[in-house]
Amino acid sequence: MCLFPIDGYQQMLIPPTERARKLAVYMRGVIYFHLLVILGFFLSALYVDGVVDLLGALIGFMSIRNSRGYNFQQVLCYSIYLGMDCFWSVIRSVLFLSGLSRNQTPLARWQYNVYVVTIIGSGVFYAVGCVIAWQLYRELRSIFTRMMEEAPPLQIQNGGVAAAPGAGSAAGQYQAVPSDPNAAGGIPAPSAQDDDFTPFTGKKYSLR
């Protein structure tokens, strides 16, 4: 859902403002730091955590990879992803500091040091990254809302969608669809009798 459209649903790219571009720079730094956390997971033999976080970092990268437009749905997914990781990281840190959790894989001394730094430091990173991604989402969401409010109303005409009269560069190009098909601009209704019309005067037959 966060990486690929489902059931034909196309994900929308929002043209960024200057504030959105600035927040995207911060979020790009979050993604780079996220890769360091992932590397720490792999070096400390936490392979499942590393693979799962790699998927999250990919979502964050895909959301802002196009400089002309950011995907605010993917930004929201990345923010939620980091928030969930922050929650579980805090729990893991508490269990580790209380002596109730240990890495089950035998580690060298340097690996153990990487493990401790990664476990304790990742919670702070996830919290900061979640806030930055959420701020970017709110900015893109406000842009999207303004775009919807400023968009011209649409009218259904002959099975298609047309802009309202006077909207944009096509001002006056479209006309409102009359509720009465026989109104002006539509197909004229035939008259009750034409001048050369002769009523049927032959013998009537019935099939019964």
Side-chain angles (χ1 to χ4, degrees):
M1 172 183 171
C2 292
L3 290 176
F4 306 103
I6 299 177
D7 295 334
Y9 176 74
Q10 298 297 324
Q11 297 174 333
M12 181 179 295
L13 298 180
I14 305 299
T17 59
E18 288 300 322
R19 183 172 185 270
R21 293 183 186 276
K22 184 177 180 180
L23 289 171
V25 172
Y26 296 154
M27 182 168 160
R28 192 169 288 111
V30 168
I31 296 172
Y32 292 151
F33 200 89
H34 200 170
L35 294 177
L36 295 179
V37 174
I38 294 171
L39 180 61
F41 283 142
F42 281 116
L43 292 178
S44 54
L46 298 175
Y47 303 113
V48 175
D49 299 78
V51 172
V52 173
D53 268 39
L54 187 61
L55 178 62
L58 180 61
I59 294 173
F61 169 76
M62 293 292 291
S63 66
I64 58 174
R65 66 187 180 93
N66 191 340
S67 60
R68 294 179 298 178
Y70 301 149
N71 191 316
F72 74 99
Q73 296 105 322
Q74 290 179 333
V75 173
L76 176 61
C77 286
Y78 188 54
S79 175
I80 296 174
Y81 196 101
L82 292 176
M84 294 174 60
D85 274 354
C86 179
F87 173 76
W88 292 114
S89 179
V90 169
I91 293 179
R92 175 181 284 180
S93 299
V94 171
L95 293 176
F96 174 77
L97 294 176
S98 61
L100 300 177
S101 175
R102 289 290 184 271
N103 196 325
Q104 302 299 323
T105 304
L107 301 176
R109 183 64 182 178
W110 66 271
Q111 285 182 301
Y112 180 77
N113 294 334
V114 172
Y115 171 78
V116 173
V117 172
T118 303
I119 291 300
I120 297 178
S122 60
V124 178
F125 157 72
Y126 289 137
V128 174
C130 178
V131 172
I132 293 176
W134 177 253
Q135 290 294 328
L136 178 57
Y137 166 74
R138 290 186 59 183
E139 178 67 17
L140 296 176
R141 183 71 184 184
S142 64
I143 299 172
F144 174 74
T145 302
R146 290 196 300 269
M147 291 172 57
M148 290 292 97
E149 292 175 350
E150 296 172 0
L154 300 179
Q155 296 177 347
I156 306 299
Q157 184 173 4
N158 298 330
V161 178
S169 60
Q173 181 179 357
Y174 301 100
Q175 301 295 330
V177 180
S179 57
D180 184 4
N182 297 327
I187 300 176
S191 59
Q193 285 188 350
D194 295 332
D195 296 337
D196 56 349
F197 176 74
T198 302
F200 179 75
T201 57
K203 184 178 179 179
K204 298 180 180 180
Y205 292 92
S206 174
L207 297 178
R208 294 182 295 175

